Amino acid sequence: MTARIYQRPKNAMQSGKALTEQWILEFAPAEAKRPDPLMGWAGSGDTQQQVVLKFAEQADAQSYADKYGIEARVTPTPPKRLKIQAYADNFK
């Protein structure tokens, strides 16, 4: 059972920073999704894909994975880059 630990990125439609401080532990899919013969929806028998655990700190998520024997890899958060620009620069 493998998992991925990462910090939730800011949504492109979001200007605030709500929920971006949380660390997420998500399990990797164990089997491929296949279309349902009746409805055509994609699905699988893997219920671990539905589990998403949220933690306040990266260390908490890592210790949870270690405690339960989950092989987890941490995806580091990319650095935040700000493009400082004045409104007058649009008219240069």
Side-chain angles (χ1 to χ4, degrees):
M1 185 167 32
T2 61
R4 179 173 73 124
I5 298 173
Y6 65 96
Q7 196 169 18
R8 182 183 306 211
K10 190 174 87 164
N11 188 336
M13 302 297 293
Q14 169 184 16
S15 62
K17 296 179 182 175
L19 303 177
T20 59
E21 300 299 319
Q22 291 180 344
W23 285 86
I24 310 291
L25 186 138
E26 264 184 353
F27 291 96
E31 62 182 60
K33 292 188 178 185
R34 56 191 180 282
D36 182 56
L38 179 63
M39 298 296 291
W41 296 340
S44 71
D46 181 24
T47 57
Q48 287 291 340
Q49 287 181 313
Q50 300 170 9
V51 177
V52 176
L53 301 173
K54 299 173 183 140
F55 298 93
E57 299 290 329
Q58 176 188 354
D60 296 339
Q62 189 67 46
S63 64
Y64 179 87
D66 293 340
K67 179 180 177 182
Y68 290 102
I70 300 167
E71 181 185 332
R73 69 179 160 85
V74 178
T75 305
T77 306
K80 297 176 183 170
R81 293 180 295 234
L82 295 176
K83 182 179 178 184
I84 306 298
Q85 180 177 340
Y87 179 72
D89 291 343
N90 293 332
F91 304 102
K92 283 187 177 181

